[in-house]
Amino acid sequence: MTEIPQTTFKRVLLKISGEALMGDQGYGLHPPTVERIAREVRSVQEMGVEICMVIGGGNIFRGLAGSAQGMERTTADYMGMLATVMNALAMQSALEEQGVYTRVISAIRMDEVAEPYIRRRAVRHLEKKRVCIFAAGTGNPYFTTDTAATLRANEMNCEAIFKGTKVDGIYDKDPVKHDDAVRYDRVSYDEVLQKNLKVMDASAIALARDNNLPIIVFSLDEPGGFRGILAGQGTSTTVHG
């Protein structure tokens, strides 16, 4: 029988971009990639951790990009929110295929496909060991899914935000383009803002700082990475006070 690693975390929020669900495609959903991430989430749940998720929508539609092409910003942002609901439903399906009870909770009411956001009900789902996927951002235009993730993590009393990316932490410059990029082990909220390190948008970082909520950045492309980071293994960067 495989030994389950121990972790000090009891409740966390996993934030991933919509692009993380594309795999090697240039657009949309790549079912094997969605399934792989679902397995990662299940493996962490098996450690006894309560999990929330927020998934971006950039693999389908990004509101800011639509606005830049002449679309009215509010409309474009609402379209982006709907893209996050599509991603959340795909992840819910993949998780339930893995035997993980899951609830999609939307900030915009669409009762036929998702629950409305009610804080106490969401907390109860977590207590019952269901994964809660928060969709549609904050329900308001001009706010990113980064800000939504930080807001929900605070409301759910999560102990940390785990941000899964394509690299194993925060670097002083893009490690894909620069061989001499230096990775931070730990960095403060203020340094992230001052150096414009592109971890999350400024509103999300400020909200995390004001509530002393750590943000742990790690590689979601690394098999077993989420589980390993929670167990204190692997490479990551912690944003802290």
Short mmCIF file of all heavy atoms in Angstrom, two decimals, residues 110-169:
data_model
loop_
_atom_site.label_atom_id
_atom_site.label_comp_id
_atom_site.label_asym_id
_atom_site.label_seq_id
_atom_site.Cartn_x
_atom_site.Cartn_y
_atom_site.Cartn_z
N MET A 110 -26.60 30.57 -12.51
CA MET A 110 -26.97 29.70 -13.63
C MET A 110 -27.32 28.36 -13.01
O MET A 110 -26.53 27.42 -13.04
CB MET A 110 -25.85 29.64 -14.67
CG MET A 110 -24.46 29.45 -14.14
SD MET A 110 -23.24 29.53 -15.47
CE MET A 110 -23.13 31.30 -15.72
N ASP A 111 -28.48 28.32 -12.39
CA ASP A 111 -28.86 27.23 -11.50
C ASP A 111 -28.90 25.86 -12.16
O ASP A 111 -28.79 24.84 -11.47
CB ASP A 111 -30.22 27.53 -10.86
CG ASP A 111 -30.18 28.76 -9.95
OD1 ASP A 111 -29.06 29.22 -9.64
OD2 ASP A 111 -31.25 29.27 -9.59
N GLU A 112 -29.07 25.82 -13.48
CA GLU A 112 -29.13 24.52 -14.15
C GLU A 112 -27.77 23.82 -14.20
O GLU A 112 -27.72 22.59 -14.35
CB GLU A 112 -29.66 24.67 -15.59
CG GLU A 112 -31.15 24.98 -15.67
CD GLU A 112 -31.49 26.42 -15.31
OE1 GLU A 112 -30.55 27.24 -15.23
OE2 GLU A 112 -32.68 26.72 -15.11
N VAL A 113 -26.68 24.57 -14.08
CA VAL A 113 -25.35 23.96 -14.22
C VAL A 113 -24.44 24.15 -13.01
O VAL A 113 -23.43 23.46 -12.89
CB VAL A 113 -24.62 24.48 -15.49
CG1 VAL A 113 -25.40 24.10 -16.74
CG2 VAL A 113 -24.40 25.99 -15.43
N ALA A 114 -24.77 25.09 -12.13
CA ALA A 114 -23.89 25.37 -11.00
C ALA A 114 -24.68 25.94 -9.84
O ALA A 114 -25.76 26.50 -10.02
CB ALA A 114 -22.81 26.38 -11.42
N GLU A 115 -24.13 25.78 -8.64
CA GLU A 115 -24.74 26.37 -7.46
C GLU A 115 -24.41 27.87 -7.40
O GLU A 115 -23.33 28.28 -7.80
CB GLU A 115 -24.20 25.71 -6.19
CG GLU A 115 -24.64 24.30 -5.97
CD GLU A 115 -24.17 23.77 -4.62
OE1 GLU A 115 -23.64 24.55 -3.80
OE2 GLU A 115 -24.34 22.56 -4.39
N PRO A 116 -25.31 28.67 -6.84
CA PRO A 116 -24.95 30.07 -6.58
C PRO A 116 -23.97 30.14 -5.41
O PRO A 116 -23.94 29.24 -4.57
CB PRO A 116 -26.29 30.71 -6.22
CG PRO A 116 -27.10 29.58 -5.65
CD PRO A 116 -26.68 28.36 -6.41
N TYR A 117 -23.18 31.19 -5.37
CA TYR A 117 -22.21 31.32 -4.29
C TYR A 117 -22.90 31.75 -2.99
O TYR A 117 -23.44 32.85 -2.90
CB TYR A 117 -21.11 32.33 -4.63
CG TYR A 117 -20.16 32.53 -3.47
CD1 TYR A 117 -19.30 31.50 -3.09
CD2 TYR A 117 -20.15 33.71 -2.72
CE1 TYR A 117 -18.44 31.65 -2.01
CE2 TYR A 117 -19.30 33.86 -1.65
CZ TYR A 117 -18.44 32.82 -1.30
OH TYR A 117 -17.60 32.96 -0.22
N ILE A 118 -22.91 30.86 -2.03
CA ILE A 118 -23.38 31.14 -0.67
C ILE A 118 -22.27 30.67 0.26
O ILE A 118 -21.98 29.47 0.31
CB ILE A 118 -24.71 30.42 -0.35
CG1 ILE A 118 -25.80 30.88 -1.33
CG2 ILE A 118 -25.14 30.67 1.10
CD1 ILE A 118 -27.08 30.06 -1.24
N ARG A 119 -21.65 31.58 0.96
CA ARG A 119 -20.44 31.25 1.70
C ARG A 119 -20.63 30.07 2.66
O ARG A 119 -19.83 29.13 2.66
CB ARG A 119 -19.94 32.48 2.48
CG ARG A 119 -18.68 32.18 3.28
CD ARG A 119 -18.23 33.37 4.12
NE ARG A 119 -17.15 32.95 4.99
CZ ARG A 119 -17.32 32.35 6.17
NH1 ARG A 119 -18.54 32.10 6.62
NH2 ARG A 119 -16.28 31.98 6.89
N ARG A 120 -21.63 30.11 3.46
CA ARG A 120 -21.82 29.04 4.46
C ARG A 120 -22.03 27.68 3.80
O ARG A 120 -21.55 26.66 4.30
CB ARG A 120 -23.01 29.38 5.38
CG ARG A 120 -22.69 30.46 6.41
CD ARG A 120 -23.89 30.75 7.28
NE ARG A 120 -23.59 31.72 8.33
CZ ARG A 120 -23.14 31.39 9.55
NH1 ARG A 120 -22.93 30.12 9.84
NH2 ARG A 120 -22.89 32.32 10.44
N ARG A 121 -22.74 27.67 2.68
CA ARG A 121 -22.96 26.39 1.99
C ARG A 121 -21.63 25.88 1.43
O ARG A 121 -21.35 24.67 1.49
CB ARG A 121 -23.97 26.58 0.86
CG ARG A 121 -24.28 25.28 0.12
CD ARG A 121 -25.18 25.52 -1.08
NE ARG A 121 -26.52 25.91 -0.69
CZ ARG A 121 -27.47 26.25 -1.56
NH1 ARG A 121 -27.20 26.25 -2.86
NH2 ARG A 121 -28.66 26.59 -1.13
N ALA A 122 -20.82 26.78 0.87
CA ALA A 122 -19.52 26.38 0.33
C ALA A 122 -18.62 25.81 1.42
O ALA A 122 -17.95 24.79 1.23
CB ALA A 122 -18.85 27.56 -0.35
N VAL A 123 -18.61 26.46 2.58
CA VAL A 123 -17.80 25.96 3.71
C VAL A 123 -18.27 24.57 4.11
O VAL A 123 -17.45 23.67 4.39
CB VAL A 123 -17.89 26.93 4.90
CG1 VAL A 123 -17.28 26.30 6.16
CG2 VAL A 123 -17.17 28.24 4.58
N ARG A 124 -19.58 24.36 4.10
CA ARG A 124 -20.12 23.05 4.48
C ARG A 124 -19.68 21.97 3.48
O ARG A 124 -19.38 20.84 3.86
CB ARG A 124 -21.65 23.12 4.56
CG ARG A 124 -22.29 21.85 5.09
CD ARG A 124 -21.88 21.59 6.52
NE ARG A 124 -22.49 20.36 7.03
CZ ARG A 124 -21.85 19.47 7.78
NH1 ARG A 124 -20.58 19.66 8.08
NH2 ARG A 124 -22.46 18.40 8.21
N HIS A 125 -19.66 22.32 2.19
CA HIS A 125 -19.17 21.37 1.18
C HIS A 125 -17.73 20.96 1.49
O HIS A 125 -17.38 19.78 1.40
CB HIS A 125 -19.23 21.98 -0.22
CG HIS A 125 -20.61 22.10 -0.79
ND1 HIS A 125 -21.56 21.11 -0.65
CD2 HIS A 125 -21.18 23.09 -1.54
CE1 HIS A 125 -22.67 21.48 -1.28
NE2 HIS A 125 -22.46 22.68 -1.82
N LEU A 126 -16.91 21.93 1.84
CA LEU A 126 -15.51 21.63 2.15
C LEU A 126 -15.41 20.71 3.37
O LEU A 126 -14.61 19.77 3.39
CB LEU A 126 -14.72 22.92 2.39
CG LEU A 126 -14.52 23.82 1.16
CD1 LEU A 126 -13.91 25.15 1.58
CD2 LEU A 126 -13.66 23.13 0.12
N GLU A 127 -16.21 21.00 4.37
CA GLU A 127 -16.21 20.17 5.58
C GLU A 127 -16.62 18.73 5.28
O GLU A 127 -16.18 17.80 5.95
CB GLU A 127 -17.14 20.78 6.64
CG GLU A 127 -16.62 22.10 7.20
CD GLU A 127 -17.64 22.82 8.07
OE1 GLU A 127 -18.83 22.42 8.06
OE2 GLU A 127 -17.26 23.79 8.76
N LYS A 128 -17.43 18.57 4.23
CA LYS A 128 -17.85 17.23 3.81
C LYS A 128 -16.87 16.62 2.81
O LYS A 128 -17.18 15.61 2.18
CB LYS A 128 -19.25 17.30 3.19
CG LYS A 128 -20.36 17.60 4.19
CD LYS A 128 -21.72 17.59 3.50
CE LYS A 128 -22.84 17.78 4.51
NZ LYS A 128 -24.18 17.79 3.87
N LYS A 129 -15.71 17.25 2.66
CA LYS A 129 -14.63 16.76 1.81
C LYS A 129 -14.98 16.78 0.32
O LYS A 129 -14.50 15.95 -0.46
CB LYS A 129 -14.20 15.34 2.23
CG LYS A 129 -13.86 15.20 3.71
CD LYS A 129 -12.79 16.20 4.14
CE LYS A 129 -12.49 16.09 5.63
NZ LYS A 129 -11.57 17.15 6.13
N ARG A 130 -15.82 17.73 -0.06
CA ARG A 130 -16.08 17.95 -1.48
C ARG A 130 -15.14 19.03 -1.99
O ARG A 130 -14.84 19.99 -1.28
CB ARG A 130 -17.53 18.39 -1.68
CG ARG A 130 -18.55 17.34 -1.25
CD ARG A 130 -19.94 17.93 -1.15
NE ARG A 130 -20.91 16.91 -0.71
CZ ARG A 130 -22.07 17.20 -0.15
NH1 ARG A 130 -22.42 18.48 0.03
NH2 ARG A 130 -22.89 16.23 0.22
N VAL A 131 -14.70 18.89 -3.23
CA VAL A 131 -13.90 19.93 -3.86
C VAL A 131 -14.84 21.02 -4.36
O VAL A 131 -15.83 20.72 -5.04
CB VAL A 131 -13.06 19.37 -5.02
CG1 VAL A 131 -12.39 20.51 -5.80
CG2 VAL A 131 -12.01 18.40 -4.50
N CYS A 132 -14.57 22.27 -4.02
CA CYS A 132 -15.38 23.39 -4.48
C CYS A 132 -14.62 24.14 -5.57
O CYS A 132 -13.51 24.63 -5.34
CB CYS A 132 -15.68 24.35 -3.33
SG CYS A 132 -16.85 23.70 -2.13
N ILE A 133 -15.21 24.22 -6.76
CA ILE A 133 -14.62 24.98 -7.86
C ILE A 133 -15.40 26.27 -8.00
O ILE A 133 -16.58 26.26 -8.36
CB ILE A 133 -14.64 24.19 -9.18
CG1 ILE A 133 -14.02 22.81 -8.99
CG2 ILE A 133 -13.89 24.96 -10.26
CD1 ILE A 133 -14.10 21.92 -10.23
N PHE A 134 -14.75 27.38 -7.70
CA PHE A 134 -15.42 28.68 -7.77
C PHE A 134 -15.27 29.23 -9.18
O PHE A 134 -14.16 29.43 -9.68
CB PHE A 134 -14.81 29.64 -6.75
CG PHE A 134 -15.04 29.20 -5.33
CD1 PHE A 134 -13.98 28.79 -4.53
CD2 PHE A 134 -16.32 29.18 -4.79
CE1 PHE A 134 -14.19 28.38 -3.23
CE2 PHE A 134 -16.54 28.76 -3.49
CZ PHE A 134 -15.47 28.35 -2.71
N ALA A 135 -16.39 29.49 -9.84
CA ALA A 135 -16.40 29.92 -11.24
C ALA A 135 -16.98 31.32 -11.37
O ALA A 135 -17.58 31.86 -10.44
CB ALA A 135 -17.21 28.93 -12.07
N ALA A 136 -16.77 31.91 -12.54
CA ALA A 136 -17.30 33.24 -12.90
C ALA A 136 -16.64 34.36 -12.11
O ALA A 136 -17.24 35.41 -11.90
CB ALA A 136 -18.81 33.29 -12.77
N GLY A 137 -15.41 34.14 -11.67
CA GLY A 137 -14.66 35.19 -10.99
C GLY A 137 -15.37 35.71 -9.75
O GLY A 137 -15.92 34.94 -8.96
N THR A 138 -15.39 37.02 -9.60
CA THR A 138 -16.11 37.64 -8.49
C THR A 138 -17.56 37.95 -8.89
O THR A 138 -18.35 38.39 -8.05
CB THR A 138 -15.46 38.96 -8.05
OG1 THR A 138 -15.57 39.90 -9.12
CG2 THR A 138 -13.98 38.76 -7.70
N GLY A 139 -17.88 37.73 -10.16
CA GLY A 139 -19.20 38.10 -10.67
C GLY A 139 -19.26 39.53 -11.15
O GLY A 139 -20.32 40.00 -11.57
N ASN A 140 -18.11 40.21 -11.13
CA ASN A 140 -18.05 41.62 -11.53
C ASN A 140 -16.98 41.83 -12.60
O ASN A 140 -15.91 41.22 -12.52
CB ASN A 140 -17.70 42.51 -10.33
CG ASN A 140 -18.70 42.37 -9.21
OD1 ASN A 140 -19.82 42.86 -9.31
ND2 ASN A 140 -18.31 41.69 -8.15
N PRO A 141 -17.25 42.69 -13.59
CA PRO A 141 -16.20 43.02 -14.55
C PRO A 141 -15.07 43.79 -13.89
O PRO A 141 -15.21 44.29 -12.77
CB PRO A 141 -16.94 43.89 -15.59
CG PRO A 141 -18.11 44.45 -14.85
CD PRO A 141 -18.50 43.42 -13.83
N TYR A 142 -13.95 43.86 -14.58
CA TYR A 142 -12.76 44.59 -14.13
C TYR A 142 -12.00 43.89 -13.01
O TYR A 142 -11.05 44.44 -12.47
CB TYR A 142 -13.08 46.04 -13.71
CG TYR A 142 -13.59 46.89 -14.85
CD1 TYR A 142 -14.96 47.03 -15.07
CD2 TYR A 142 -12.71 47.53 -15.72
CE1 TYR A 142 -15.44 47.79 -16.13
CE2 TYR A 142 -13.19 48.29 -16.78
CZ TYR A 142 -14.54 48.42 -16.97
OH TYR A 142 -15.02 49.17 -18.02
N PHE A 143 -12.42 42.68 -12.63
CA PHE A 143 -11.69 41.90 -11.64
C PHE A 143 -11.23 40.60 -12.27
O PHE A 143 -12.01 39.92 -12.94
CB PHE A 143 -12.57 41.60 -10.42
CG PHE A 143 -12.85 42.80 -9.57
CD1 PHE A 143 -13.97 43.58 -9.79
CD2 PHE A 143 -11.99 43.16 -8.54
CE1 PHE A 143 -14.25 44.70 -9.02
CE2 PHE A 143 -12.25 44.27 -7.75
CZ PHE A 143 -13.38 45.05 -7.99
N THR A 144 -9.98 40.23 -12.04
CA THR A 144 -9.43 39.02 -12.63
C THR A 144 -9.75 37.80 -11.78
O THR A 144 -10.19 37.91 -10.63
CB THR A 144 -7.90 39.13 -12.75
OG1 THR A 144 -7.34 39.14 -11.43
CG2 THR A 144 -7.48 40.39 -13.50
N THR A 145 -9.47 36.62 -12.34
CA THR A 145 -9.63 35.39 -11.55
C THR A 145 -8.57 35.29 -10.46
O THR A 145 -8.76 34.57 -9.48
CB THR A 145 -9.60 34.14 -12.45
OG1 THR A 145 -8.44 34.17 -13.28
CG2 THR A 145 -10.85 34.06 -13.30
N ASP A 146 -7.44 36.00 -10.61
CA ASP A 146 -6.46 36.07 -9.52
C ASP A 146 -7.09 36.73 -8.29
O ASP A 146 -6.96 36.24 -7.16
CB ASP A 146 -5.23 36.88 -9.94
CG ASP A 146 -4.27 36.10 -10.83
OD1 ASP A 146 -4.37 34.86 -10.86
OD2 ASP A 146 -3.42 36.74 -11.47
N THR A 147 -7.76 37.84 -8.52
CA THR A 147 -8.42 38.53 -7.41
C THR A 147 -9.54 37.68 -6.84
O THR A 147 -9.73 37.59 -5.62
CB THR A 147 -8.98 39.89 -7.88
OG1 THR A 147 -7.90 40.68 -8.39
CG2 THR A 147 -9.63 40.65 -6.74
N ALA A 148 -10.29 37.00 -7.73
CA ALA A 148 -11.37 36.12 -7.26
C ALA A 148 -10.80 35.00 -6.39
O ALA A 148 -11.38 34.64 -5.36
CB ALA A 148 -12.11 35.53 -8.46
N ALA A 149 -9.65 34.44 -6.79
CA ALA A 149 -9.04 33.35 -6.02
C ALA A 149 -8.64 33.84 -4.64
O ALA A 149 -8.87 33.14 -3.63
CB ALA A 149 -7.82 32.82 -6.77
N THR A 150 -8.06 35.02 -4.56
CA THR A 150 -7.64 35.55 -3.27
C THR A 150 -8.84 35.88 -2.39
O THR A 150 -8.84 35.61 -1.18
CB THR A 150 -6.78 36.81 -3.47
OG1 THR A 150 -5.76 36.54 -4.44
CG2 THR A 150 -6.10 37.22 -2.18
N LEU A 151 -9.88 36.42 -2.99
CA LEU A 151 -11.11 36.72 -2.26
C LEU A 151 -11.73 35.44 -1.70
O LEU A 151 -12.04 35.36 -0.49
CB LEU A 151 -12.11 37.41 -3.20
CG LEU A 151 -13.51 37.69 -2.65
CD1 LEU A 151 -13.45 38.67 -1.49
CD2 LEU A 151 -14.43 38.20 -3.76
N ARG A 152 -11.90 34.43 -2.54
CA ARG A 152 -12.52 33.18 -2.08
C ARG A 152 -11.64 32.47 -1.05
O ARG A 152 -12.15 31.89 -0.08
CB ARG A 152 -12.79 32.24 -3.27
CG ARG A 152 -13.78 32.78 -4.27
CD ARG A 152 -15.17 32.96 -3.69
NE ARG A 152 -16.13 33.38 -4.71
CZ ARG A 152 -16.89 34.44 -4.63
NH1 ARG A 152 -16.83 35.23 -3.56
NH2 ARG A 152 -17.74 34.75 -5.60
N ALA A 153 -10.34 32.50 -1.23
CA ALA A 153 -9.44 31.86 -0.27
C ALA A 153 -9.60 32.49 1.11
O ALA A 153 -9.61 31.80 2.14
CB ALA A 153 -7.99 31.96 -0.74
N ASN A 154 -9.74 33.80 1.15
CA ASN A 154 -9.96 34.49 2.42
C ASN A 154 -11.33 34.14 3.00
O ASN A 154 -11.46 33.86 4.20
CB ASN A 154 -9.82 36.00 2.24
CG ASN A 154 -8.38 36.46 2.21
OD1 ASN A 154 -7.61 36.17 3.12
ND2 ASN A 154 -8.00 37.19 1.18
N GLU A 155 -12.36 34.14 2.16
CA GLU A 155 -13.71 33.85 2.64
C GLU A 155 -13.82 32.42 3.18
O GLU A 155 -14.57 32.16 4.12
CB GLU A 155 -14.71 34.06 1.51
CG GLU A 155 -14.93 35.52 1.15
CD GLU A 155 -15.93 35.68 0.02
OE1 GLU A 155 -15.71 35.12 -1.07
OE2 GLU A 155 -16.93 36.36 0.23
N MET A 156 -13.08 31.50 2.55
CA MET A 156 -13.13 30.08 2.96
C MET A 156 -12.14 29.76 4.08
O MET A 156 -12.01 28.62 4.50
CB MET A 156 -12.82 29.17 1.76
CG MET A 156 -13.85 29.20 0.65
SD MET A 156 -15.50 28.64 1.15
CE MET A 156 -16.37 30.20 1.17
N ASN A 157 -11.42 30.78 4.56
CA ASN A 157 -10.40 30.58 5.61
C ASN A 157 -9.33 29.58 5.18
O ASN A 157 -8.89 28.73 5.98
CB ASN A 157 -11.05 30.13 6.93
CG ASN A 157 -11.95 31.20 7.53
OD1 ASN A 157 -11.59 32.38 7.53
ND2 ASN A 157 -13.11 30.80 8.00
N CYS A 158 -8.92 29.66 3.93
CA CYS A 158 -7.83 28.81 3.45
C CYS A 158 -6.52 29.26 4.08
O CYS A 158 -6.33 30.43 4.40
CB CYS A 158 -7.71 28.88 1.93
SG CYS A 158 -9.11 28.12 1.05
N GLU A 159 -5.61 28.31 4.23
CA GLU A 159 -4.32 28.60 4.85
C GLU A 159 -3.30 29.11 3.85
O GLU A 159 -2.29 29.70 4.23
CB GLU A 159 -3.80 27.35 5.55
CG GLU A 159 -4.68 26.93 6.71
CD GLU A 159 -4.47 25.49 7.11
OE1 GLU A 159 -4.21 24.64 6.24
OE2 GLU A 159 -4.57 25.21 8.32
N ALA A 160 -3.55 28.88 2.56
CA ALA A 160 -2.62 29.34 1.52
C ALA A 160 -3.29 29.21 0.16
O ALA A 160 -4.24 28.43 -0.02
CB ALA A 160 -1.33 28.53 1.54
N ILE A 161 -2.78 29.99 -0.79
CA ILE A 161 -3.12 29.82 -2.20
C ILE A 161 -1.95 29.11 -2.85
O ILE A 161 -0.80 29.52 -2.71
CB ILE A 161 -3.36 31.18 -2.90
CG1 ILE A 161 -4.58 31.88 -2.31
CG2 ILE A 161 -3.54 30.99 -4.40
CD1 ILE A 161 -4.78 33.29 -2.86
N PHE A 162 -2.24 28.04 -3.57
CA PHE A 162 -1.23 27.35 -4.36
C PHE A 162 -1.48 27.70 -5.82
O PHE A 162 -2.52 27.34 -6.36
CB PHE A 162 -1.30 25.84 -4.12
CG PHE A 162 -0.71 25.42 -2.81
CD1 PHE A 162 -1.43 25.62 -1.63
CD2 PHE A 162 0.54 24.87 -2.72
CE1 PHE A 162 -0.91 25.26 -0.40
CE2 PHE A 162 1.09 24.50 -1.50
CZ PHE A 162 0.37 24.70 -0.33
N LYS A 163 -0.53 28.40 -6.41
CA LYS A 163 -0.70 28.79 -7.81
C LYS A 163 0.14 27.89 -8.70
O LYS A 163 1.36 27.92 -8.66
CB LYS A 163 -0.33 30.26 -8.03
CG LYS A 163 -0.55 30.66 -9.49
CD LYS A 163 -0.57 32.14 -9.74
CE LYS A 163 -0.91 32.38 -11.22
NZ LYS A 163 -0.89 33.80 -11.57
N GLY A 164 -0.55 27.05 -9.50
CA GLY A 164 0.13 26.14 -10.41
C GLY A 164 0.45 26.84 -11.71
O GLY A 164 -0.44 27.40 -12.36
N THR A 165 1.72 26.82 -12.11
CA THR A 165 2.16 27.49 -13.34
C THR A 165 2.99 26.52 -14.17
O THR A 165 3.10 25.34 -13.86
CB THR A 165 3.01 28.74 -13.01
OG1 THR A 165 4.26 28.32 -12.43
CG2 THR A 165 2.28 29.66 -12.04
N LYS A 166 3.62 27.04 -15.22
CA LYS A 166 4.49 26.21 -16.06
C LYS A 166 5.93 26.20 -15.58
O LYS A 166 6.76 25.45 -16.10
CB LYS A 166 4.42 26.71 -17.52
CG LYS A 166 3.06 26.48 -18.18
CD LYS A 166 3.10 26.84 -19.64
CE LYS A 166 1.76 26.51 -20.31
NZ LYS A 166 1.49 25.07 -20.33
N VAL A 167 6.26 27.03 -14.59
CA VAL A 167 7.62 27.07 -14.04
C VAL A 167 7.56 26.82 -12.53
O VAL A 167 6.51 26.94 -11.91
CB VAL A 167 8.33 28.40 -14.34
CG1 VAL A 167 8.59 28.53 -15.83
CG2 VAL A 167 7.52 29.59 -13.85
N ASP A 168 8.71 26.48 -11.96
CA ASP A 168 8.75 26.01 -10.57
C ASP A 168 8.94 27.11 -9.54
O ASP A 168 9.64 26.94 -8.55
CB ASP A 168 9.85 24.95 -10.40
CG ASP A 168 11.22 25.48 -10.78
OD1 ASP A 168 11.33 26.64 -11.24
OD2 ASP A 168 12.20 24.72 -10.62
N GLY A 169 8.33 28.27 -9.78
CA GLY A 169 8.42 29.35 -8.82
C GLY A 169 8.42 30.70 -9.49
O GLY A 169 8.05 30.84 -10.66
#
